[in-house]
Amino acid sequence: MQHEDPRNGESAHRSSKKPKLSSKFITESDIRDEFSHHHPRVARINNGSFGSCPGSVLTAQRHLQLQFLRQPDAFYFNTLRDGITASRKIIKDFINADHVDEVSLVDNATTAAAIVLQRIGRSFAEGKFQKNDTVLMLHCAFQAVKKSIQAYVTRAGGSVIEVRLPFPVNSEEEIISEFKKSIEEGKSNGRKIRLAIIDHITSMPSLVIPVKELVRICRAEGIEQVFVDAAHAIGSVKVDVKEVGADFYVSNLHKWFFCPPSVAFLYCKKSSSSSDLHHPVVSHEYGNGLPVESAWIGTRDYSSQLVVPAVLEFVNRFEGGIDGIMKRNHDEVVKMGKMLAESWGTNLGSPPEMSAAMIMVGLPSRLCLNSEEDAVTLRSHLRDRYEVEVPIFHQVFKDGEEGVRDKDGFITGYLRMGKRAKCFIRNEEAVMKVRAAFHGINICVLPSSDACGITQFLKNQTKKRKEHRRRKLYASWKPRNGESCCLRGCNEVESLGTYAFLLAIDKAETSNVGIGMALLQMVRIHWSMLDQPKLLKPWLWVKHV
Amino acid sequence: MNSTSASAAVTPQPLFITPPEVFSEFSHHHPSVARINNGGFGCCPSSLISSQRQIQLQWLRQPDEFFFNQLQPGMLRSRNVIKELINADHVDEVSIVDNASTAISIVLQHMAWGFAEGKFRSGDATVMFHCTYGAVKKSVEAYFVRAGGYVIEVPLPFPVNSDDEILQEFRQALEKAKQSGRSVRLAIIDHVTFMPTVVMPVKQLVSICREAGIDHIFIDAAHGIGCVDVDMKQIGADFYTKNLHKWLFCPPSAAFLYCRKSNEISALHHPVVTHQYGNGLATESSWIGTRDYSAQLVVPKVLEFVNRFEGGIDGIKRRNHDAVVGMGEMLGKAWGTHLGCPPHMCSSMVMVGLPACLQVSSDQDTLKLRTYLRDKFGVEVAIYYRPPKDGEVGPLTGYARISYQVYNKIKLLELDTDTEKLLLLLLLLWIIDITGKKYLSLLQPKATTLPLSH
């Protein structure tokens, strides 16, 4: 595959380059190839944590790494600086920054937070800020950011105000009003709010925050500087730094923008004080501006920062480029989220317009998720037992707060589902696995021709289950081709497809009606997700034991 | 084939790595460049690049699982390997970071807090040699000086003839500080200086510091392991950092920072703060956000590679030293110049005086000469400008810093790429001497007329 040589500096044709009008867009099988290095059996619905990177970009990266090893001195003198400048220019255009000097490339959002907060710490130490001047942040800010505030702000004598975000949330107004309240608190007793740290998309629980509005409020209230932590933003939502209007804006490129681990951009609006920002790892470039300092922090592998042009090429192979990907991710994840919430009788953490490529889905209260530890245990269980990778959020309620209820109790846990458009073809199976896990349903996908084998398998399972003293209910139902049939209490289901489902349902947990609903949902989902109605023929065995 | 008893008797000895194997391990190096600057960016053999790639793929395959189950144990393994190598007491004393620049930032940030929190007074000093690495000097400016500290620079005599000359200068500087009433809070000492390169008598320097009551001693040994002996307990410093990608074959980049166990060790923090903040520097450094940790996880494999050589890392070091001194002396004789320091003060690098006719008279000239050698002759070598001192007559102002690593081939009786290049260099310079300055005009494009030979 031909790739643009990332060694080329800013070439004349690059700025006027339009998305490649290839004869066709990337196909499903191309995508499967690009991500063939992913574990084939694991359902990866946690793109938000560590991101993903396609094979063609990895190849480009490898090429750069070998170039360095081949002749490092020449690479350092002739290739490195120009290559990073080329990447920065691409980002600058993407985010609508005014000048490339406003864009620095760093390892990740955590590093960017350290850069900004280190400066705040210095301001306290050098007497520019008074003791007890405040830094404002959201209570669900990323843990590393909170610790960074502790390390640089609190240690230097500053204080912190946390904005408590309502969750689940129903509208942007709820967030805006909490924010305004916290600003009042922060300014009380004559304190000044020196910095507001606002997430564009929070991590846990995941919500899209109305940053533009919040930044406007900050300006109106005289908050000196605003730092937007948009780790998840680029590739999930539209990023326009001028529109957002913050002083600092950071986003990881390896989460939703297909870069290899790891690289992020930090945008710093040009101002009188922007020259006082420094990378914490000091090199001989100290004092030459943050972008130049960040482009050389000692000998290390800079290939992930140099590979941005190759990433742009990859993204433009999709219909609609990054915008198309974002829209499809959003639509799919909302669809999946709604389907899960409906089948579990739970809720979504936020309205669809406040989610991007991730959505929070309430977990059935009968899971009894009562602590952070429970959430971690559940996550490990899903990974080890069901090969599903999905983060779980445990909701802590303050005194007097009540959460949302489902039919059995309060919902204390949420699952954060992240979707990458059609990159993981097993997503629908993953979703089914997840559902099944919580219904106590085991799914086996067996060839439908193996009728005898299935019956035998069932009998064996029954024996095993008896040994473990779990009461199992097996359902069996076999429609003929073209026949439509009814399950008690359910609507009609058309018979489709060639897969068979073997369901073992824990009777203690679901009523017959519930089982019926579950089965119905299962069939519908599989049918709609795979989009191949003619090929699906569900042979469902539901047998009372 | 006979029975087991016979085969047991003829079990072959494990073979050491052979020259063709070494050649193939470094076959990814540019084939027509004479790489005599290993001290710049180091090198990495193909087998380690493959091991590193395995780790990278493992991460990409299932990053969450890798993060939860494999990353921390892997980092701990690397730290244990290093602890054994450097004779540290406890693995908690060993943190893995990107490079020596990161390590110095960690230590200096800690010093800056000392000023901010009133432990140090404005005007308290740090002492370092004038040839300390540029990044270290800038780091001192960014953290120490900015917080109110003062810098005392010790001139390094160069060319130098013995350890005593260095110790003398150092003692004098500390004496001056004492007389001016300054407290010296931190001493920054290179184990092997970068430019010009000299092996410093660190053990004696550390004792002098202790005698003078200096609180903290930081040894910047970017060129340490694989270049000189490294034994933490023997050296006795508070902080010691070393790059593993320069002379220990790690892929770029990995380094360790050793911090002697003391009350203060828990107050050291990595400047990039994560949820691990407060769990000790070693733990903090092993997670500084999502990034590629493969170069740091591959350290155990590095030991395996090194032990394929006869004598392991010590054997490599010894052979490098002997070869580079041999090369240096040959060049010195051919050019009528000399080495920058006696052989026992050389590591795997040596400074060779360049002929005066080259008229290296500024740092800019060194860059131009270096670029010229790279572009026109495919020779990669670092050049140093040594400013003449007052009253000196006809001093050498230019030196080449020659490195030798296992992939270099310099056997005077065998003509191969590197030797050919050096001979060409010799020839070139000899021609210059005769025709005079024709080459210089190529370096100085500002000259409008070509100087005529005389």
Side-chain angles (χ1 to χ4, degrees), chain B residues 225-254:
Chain B
I225 293 185
C227 221
V228 284
D229 287 323
V230 173
D231 184 321
M232 293 300 108
K233 294 215 274 273
Q234 260 194 19
I235 292 172
D238 300 292
F239 309 107
Y240 189 103
T241 184
K242 153 104 194 81
N243 282 329
L244 301 171
H245 52 265
K246 277 201 202 280
W247 295 95
L248 201 64
F249 306 104
C250 257
S253 66

mmCIF file of all heavy atoms in Angstrom, chain B residues 225-254:
data_model
loop_
_atom_site.group_PDB
_atom_site.id
_atom_site.type_symbol
_atom_site.label_atom_id
_atom_site.label_comp_id
_atom_site.label_asym_id
_atom_site.label_seq_id
_atom_site.Cartn_x
_atom_site.Cartn_y
_atom_site.Cartn_z
ATOM 1 N N ILE B 225 26.816 2.511 32.064
ATOM 2 C CA ILE B 225 26.963 1.055 31.895
ATOM 3 C C ILE B 225 27.417 0.711 30.495
ATOM 4 O O ILE B 225 26.950 1.249 29.535
ATOM 5 C CB ILE B 225 25.629 0.320 32.096
ATOM 6 C CG1 ILE B 225 25.170 0.428 33.518
ATOM 7 C CG2 ILE B 225 25.790 -1.166 31.776
ATOM 8 C CD1 ILE B 225 23.922 -0.389 33.742
ATOM 9 N N GLY B 226 28.301 -0.237 30.424
ATOM 10 C CA GLY B 226 28.753 -0.635 29.100
ATOM 11 C C GLY B 226 29.908 0.229 28.683
ATOM 12 O O GLY B 226 30.563 0.005 27.675
ATOM 13 N N CYS B 227 30.157 1.265 29.487
ATOM 14 C CA CYS B 227 31.211 2.212 29.165
ATOM 15 C C CYS B 227 32.217 2.227 30.311
ATOM 16 O O CYS B 227 33.395 2.304 30.124
ATOM 17 C CB CYS B 227 30.546 3.590 29.046
ATOM 18 S SG CYS B 227 31.150 4.566 27.714
ATOM 19 N N VAL B 228 31.663 2.201 31.528
ATOM 20 C CA VAL B 228 32.516 2.150 32.724
ATOM 21 C C VAL B 228 31.847 1.246 33.744
ATOM 22 O O VAL B 228 30.696 0.884 33.599
ATOM 23 C CB VAL B 228 32.680 3.545 33.386
ATOM 24 C CG1 VAL B 228 33.630 4.397 32.601
ATOM 25 C CG2 VAL B 228 31.342 4.210 33.541
ATOM 26 N N ASP B 229 32.588 0.910 34.800
ATOM 27 C CA ASP B 229 32.024 0.092 35.871
ATOM 28 C C ASP B 229 31.014 0.904 36.659
ATOM 29 O O ASP B 229 31.242 2.063 36.963
ATOM 30 C CB ASP B 229 33.132 -0.353 36.835
ATOM 31 C CG ASP B 229 33.991 -1.424 36.200
ATOM 32 O OD1 ASP B 229 33.424 -2.267 35.475
ATOM 33 O OD2 ASP B 229 35.203 -1.379 36.398
ATOM 34 N N VAL B 230 29.909 0.268 36.976
ATOM 35 C CA VAL B 230 28.871 0.973 37.711
ATOM 36 C C VAL B 230 28.497 0.174 38.954
ATOM 37 O O VAL B 230 27.913 -0.894 38.838
ATOM 38 C CB VAL B 230 27.619 1.167 36.825
ATOM 39 C CG1 VAL B 230 26.474 1.733 37.628
ATOM 40 C CG2 VAL B 230 27.933 2.091 35.670
ATOM 41 N N ASP B 231 28.827 0.669 40.098
ATOM 42 C CA ASP B 231 28.487 -0.002 41.346
ATOM 43 C C ASP B 231 28.000 1.055 42.324
ATOM 44 O O ASP B 231 28.774 1.869 42.802
ATOM 45 C CB ASP B 231 29.723 -0.728 41.895
ATOM 46 C CG ASP B 231 29.395 -1.520 43.149
ATOM 47 O OD1 ASP B 231 28.603 -1.030 43.996
ATOM 48 O OD2 ASP B 231 29.924 -2.628 43.294
ATOM 49 N N MET B 232 26.694 1.050 42.565
ATOM 50 C CA MET B 232 26.076 2.114 43.361
ATOM 51 C C MET B 232 26.681 2.248 44.738
ATOM 52 O O MET B 232 26.930 3.344 45.214
ATOM 53 C CB MET B 232 24.572 1.867 43.512
ATOM 54 C CG MET B 232 23.797 1.992 42.237
ATOM 55 S SD MET B 232 23.952 3.644 41.527
ATOM 56 C CE MET B 232 24.967 3.294 40.150
ATOM 57 N N LYS B 233 26.905 1.098 45.376
ATOM 58 C CA LYS B 233 27.377 1.177 46.755
ATOM 59 C C LYS B 233 28.785 1.709 46.802
ATOM 60 O O LYS B 233 29.134 2.496 47.656
ATOM 61 C CB LYS B 233 27.268 -0.192 47.423
ATOM 62 C CG LYS B 233 25.820 -0.634 47.573
ATOM 63 C CD LYS B 233 25.562 -1.424 48.828
ATOM 64 C CE LYS B 233 25.847 -2.890 48.661
ATOM 65 N NZ LYS B 233 24.664 -3.619 48.124
ATOM 66 N N GLN B 234 29.573 1.334 45.813
ATOM 67 C CA GLN B 234 30.958 1.818 45.780
ATOM 68 C C GLN B 234 31.006 3.305 45.516
ATOM 69 O O GLN B 234 31.805 4.031 46.081
ATOM 70 C CB GLN B 234 31.710 1.112 44.664
ATOM 71 C CG GLN B 234 32.561 -0.007 45.153
ATOM 72 C CD GLN B 234 33.533 -0.455 44.076
ATOM 73 O OE1 GLN B 234 33.809 0.276 43.120
ATOM 74 N NE2 GLN B 234 34.037 -1.633 44.223
ATOM 75 N N ILE B 235 30.148 3.750 44.601
ATOM 76 C CA ILE B 235 30.186 5.164 44.226
ATOM 77 C C ILE B 235 29.604 6.033 45.336
ATOM 78 O O ILE B 235 30.123 7.101 45.640
ATOM 79 C CB ILE B 235 29.445 5.386 42.899
ATOM 80 C CG1 ILE B 235 30.234 4.724 41.762
ATOM 81 C CG2 ILE B 235 29.251 6.852 42.604
ATOM 82 C CD1 ILE B 235 29.511 4.709 40.445
ATOM 83 N N GLY B 236 28.512 5.572 45.918
ATOM 84 C CA GLY B 236 28.011 6.256 47.104
ATOM 85 C C GLY B 236 27.260 7.558 46.884
ATOM 86 O O GLY B 236 27.157 8.373 47.794
ATOM 87 N N ALA B 237 26.708 7.765 45.697
ATOM 88 C CA ALA B 237 25.967 9.000 45.458
ATOM 89 C C ALA B 237 24.526 8.857 45.928
ATOM 90 O O ALA B 237 24.060 7.763 46.228
ATOM 91 C CB ALA B 237 26.001 9.333 43.973
ATOM 92 N N ASP B 238 23.805 9.985 45.959
ATOM 93 C CA ASP B 238 22.391 9.940 46.328
ATOM 94 C C ASP B 238 21.520 9.584 45.131
ATOM 95 O O ASP B 238 20.528 8.882 45.246
ATOM 96 C CB ASP B 238 21.936 11.300 46.872
ATOM 97 C CG ASP B 238 22.719 11.701 48.090
ATOM 98 O OD1 ASP B 238 22.536 11.027 49.132
ATOM 99 O OD2 ASP B 238 23.534 12.630 48.014
ATOM 100 N N PHE B 239 21.882 10.138 43.966
ATOM 101 C CA PHE B 239 21.115 9.885 42.752
ATOM 102 C C PHE B 239 22.072 9.524 41.632
ATOM 103 O O PHE B 239 23.146 10.119 41.517
ATOM 104 C CB PHE B 239 20.341 11.137 42.320
ATOM 105 C CG PHE B 239 19.535 11.760 43.411
ATOM 106 C CD1 PHE B 239 19.945 12.948 43.988
ATOM 107 C CD2 PHE B 239 18.369 11.169 43.864
ATOM 108 C CE1 PHE B 239 19.214 13.537 45.001
ATOM 109 C CE2 PHE B 239 17.626 11.743 44.879
ATOM 110 C CZ PHE B 239 18.058 12.933 45.450
ATOM 111 N N TYR B 240 21.663 8.589 40.830
ATOM 112 C CA TYR B 240 22.514 8.151 39.724
ATOM 113 C C TYR B 240 21.605 7.794 38.562
ATOM 114 O O TYR B 240 20.670 7.024 38.735
ATOM 115 C CB TYR B 240 23.323 6.928 40.168
ATOM 116 C CG TYR B 240 24.396 6.485 39.204
ATOM 117 C CD1 TYR B 240 25.731 6.773 39.444
ATOM 118 C CD2 TYR B 240 24.082 5.741 38.064
ATOM 119 C CE1 TYR B 240 26.735 6.359 38.588
ATOM 120 C CE2 TYR B 240 25.071 5.333 37.192
ATOM 121 C CZ TYR B 240 26.396 5.638 37.452
ATOM 122 O OH TYR B 240 27.376 5.229 36.587
ATOM 123 N N THR B 241 21.884 8.396 37.393
ATOM 124 C CA THR B 241 21.047 8.056 36.245
ATOM 125 C C THR B 241 21.894 7.611 35.072
ATOM 126 O O THR B 241 23.021 8.072 34.892
ATOM 127 C CB THR B 241 20.150 9.237 35.815
ATOM 128 O OG1 THR B 241 19.300 8.791 34.762
ATOM 129 C CG2 THR B 241 20.968 10.397 35.276
ATOM 130 N N LYS B 242 21.331 6.720 34.290
ATOM 131 C CA LYS B 242 22.065 6.154 33.163
ATOM 132 C C LYS B 242 21.101 5.793 32.054
ATOM 133 O O LYS B 242 20.063 5.173 32.307
ATOM 134 C CB LYS B 242 22.800 4.918 33.679
ATOM 135 C CG LYS B 242 23.079 3.886 32.667
ATOM 136 C CD LYS B 242 24.541 3.932 32.262
ATOM 137 C CE LYS B 242 24.760 3.134 30.998
ATOM 138 N NZ LYS B 242 24.397 3.890 29.797
ATOM 139 N N ASN B 243 21.459 6.175 30.839
ATOM 140 C CA ASN B 243 20.671 5.759 29.678
ATOM 141 C C ASN B 243 21.005 4.318 29.328
ATOM 142 O O ASN B 243 22.172 3.939 29.302
ATOM 143 C CB ASN B 243 21.029 6.622 28.460
ATOM 144 C CG ASN B 243 20.378 7.980 28.526
ATOM 145 O OD1 ASN B 243 19.294 8.134 29.073
ATOM 146 N ND2 ASN B 243 21.032 8.977 27.973
ATOM 147 N N LEU B 244 19.983 3.527 29.028
ATOM 148 C CA LEU B 244 20.225 2.134 28.659
ATOM 149 C C LEU B 244 20.300 1.962 27.147
ATOM 150 O O LEU B 244 20.664 0.893 26.655
ATOM 151 C CB LEU B 244 19.099 1.247 29.213
ATOM 152 C CG LEU B 244 18.952 1.304 30.732
ATOM 153 C CD1 LEU B 244 17.695 0.593 31.177
ATOM 154 C CD2 LEU B 244 20.159 0.683 31.401
ATOM 155 N N HIS B 245 19.936 3.015 26.395
ATOM 156 C CA HIS B 245 19.936 2.870 24.946
ATOM 157 C C HIS B 245 21.255 3.314 24.325
ATOM 158 O O HIS B 245 21.471 3.114 23.139
ATOM 159 C CB HIS B 245 18.775 3.653 24.322
ATOM 160 C CG HIS B 245 18.727 5.079 24.763
ATOM 161 N ND1 HIS B 245 17.949 5.507 25.809
ATOM 162 C CD2 HIS B 245 19.367 6.161 24.309
ATOM 163 C CE1 HIS B 245 18.118 6.808 25.986
ATOM 164 N NE2 HIS B 245 18.978 7.237 25.092
ATOM 165 N N LYS B 246 22.118 3.904 25.129
ATOM 166 C CA LYS B 246 23.395 4.332 24.555
ATOM 167 C C LYS B 246 24.367 3.162 24.448
ATOM 168 O O LYS B 246 24.844 2.833 23.376
ATOM 169 C CB LYS B 246 24.019 5.437 25.401
ATOM 170 C CG LYS B 246 23.467 6.823 25.072
ATOM 171 C CD LYS B 246 24.406 7.911 25.506
ATOM 172 C CE LYS B 246 23.702 9.238 25.687
ATOM 173 N NZ LYS B 246 23.463 9.944 24.429
ATOM 174 N N TRP B 247 24.677 2.568 25.579
ATOM 175 C CA TRP B 247 25.697 1.523 25.576
ATOM 176 C C TRP B 247 25.197 0.171 26.041
ATOM 177 O O TRP B 247 25.985 -0.765 26.171
ATOM 178 C CB TRP B 247 26.894 1.947 26.451
ATOM 179 C CG TRP B 247 27.580 3.133 25.892
ATOM 180 C CD1 TRP B 247 27.371 4.442 26.228
ATOM 181 C CD2 TRP B 247 28.555 3.155 24.843
ATOM 182 N NE1 TRP B 247 28.167 5.263 25.471
ATOM 183 C CE2 TRP B 247 28.904 4.506 24.607
ATOM 184 C CE3 TRP B 247 29.178 2.159 24.073
ATOM 185 C CZ2 TRP B 247 29.840 4.890 23.642
ATOM 186 C CZ3 TRP B 247 30.115 2.550 23.119
ATOM 187 C CH2 TRP B 247 30.427 3.896 22.903
ATOM 188 N N LEU B 248 23.912 0.071 26.330
ATOM 189 C CA LEU B 248 23.401 -1.228 26.770
ATOM 190 C C LEU B 248 22.376 -1.801 25.793
ATOM 191 O O LEU B 248 21.577 -2.642 26.149
ATOM 192 C CB LEU B 248 22.799 -1.120 28.189
ATOM 193 C CG LEU B 248 22.708 -2.449 28.938
ATOM 194 C CD1 LEU B 248 24.065 -3.041 29.216
ATOM 195 C CD2 LEU B 248 21.965 -2.264 30.245
ATOM 196 N N PHE B 249 22.388 -1.312 24.562
ATOM 197 C CA PHE B 249 21.636 -1.911 23.469
ATOM 198 C C PHE B 249 20.122 -1.858 23.570
ATOM 199 O O PHE B 249 19.451 -2.473 22.754
ATOM 200 C CB PHE B 249 22.035 -3.395 23.254
ATOM 201 C CG PHE B 249 23.510 -3.598 23.061
ATOM 202 C CD1 PHE B 249 24.298 -4.108 24.080
ATOM 203 C CD2 PHE B 249 24.119 -3.260 21.861
ATOM 204 C CE1 PHE B 249 25.660 -4.283 23.900
ATOM 205 C CE2 PHE B 249 25.479 -3.433 21.674
ATOM 206 C CZ PHE B 249 26.259 -3.944 22.694
ATOM 207 N N CYS B 250 19.566 -1.114 24.519
ATOM 208 C CA CYS B 250 18.106 -1.024 24.588
ATOM 209 C C CYS B 250 17.578 -0.213 23.416
ATOM 210 O O CYS B 250 18.243 0.710 22.958
ATOM 211 C CB CYS B 250 17.688 -0.288 25.865
ATOM 212 S SG CYS B 250 17.100 -1.368 27.128
ATOM 213 N N PRO B 251 16.371 -0.526 22.969
ATOM 214 C CA PRO B 251 15.774 0.341 21.945
ATOM 215 C C PRO B 251 15.475 1.701 22.574
ATOM 216 O O PRO B 251 15.370 1.803 23.791
ATOM 217 C CB PRO B 251 14.476 -0.377 21.565
ATOM 218 C CG PRO B 251 14.259 -1.422 22.563
ATOM 219 C CD PRO B 251 15.492 -1.640 23.343
ATOM 220 N N PRO B 252 15.356 2.738 21.754
ATOM 221 C CA PRO B 252 15.066 4.041 22.360
ATOM 222 C C PRO B 252 13.645 4.081 22.885
ATOM 223 O O PRO B 252 12.735 3.704 22.160
ATOM 224 C CB PRO B 252 15.266 5.031 21.203
ATOM 225 C CG PRO B 252 15.147 4.225 19.954
ATOM 226 C CD PRO B 252 15.479 2.809 20.296
ATOM 227 N N SER B 253 13.362 4.593 24.064
ATOM 228 C CA SER B 253 14.486 4.840 24.939
ATOM 229 C C SER B 253 14.144 4.373 26.358
ATOM 230 O O SER B 253 12.972 4.281 26.713
ATOM 231 C CB SER B 253 14.784 6.329 24.988
ATOM 232 O OG SER B 253 13.736 6.992 25.595
ATOM 233 N N ALA B 254 15.151 4.069 27.089
ATOM 234 C CA ALA B 254 14.952 3.642 28.472
ATOM 235 C C ALA B 254 16.159 4.073 29.267
ATOM 236 O O ALA B 254 17.283 4.094 28.759
ATOM 237 C CB ALA B 254 14.801 2.130 28.541
#
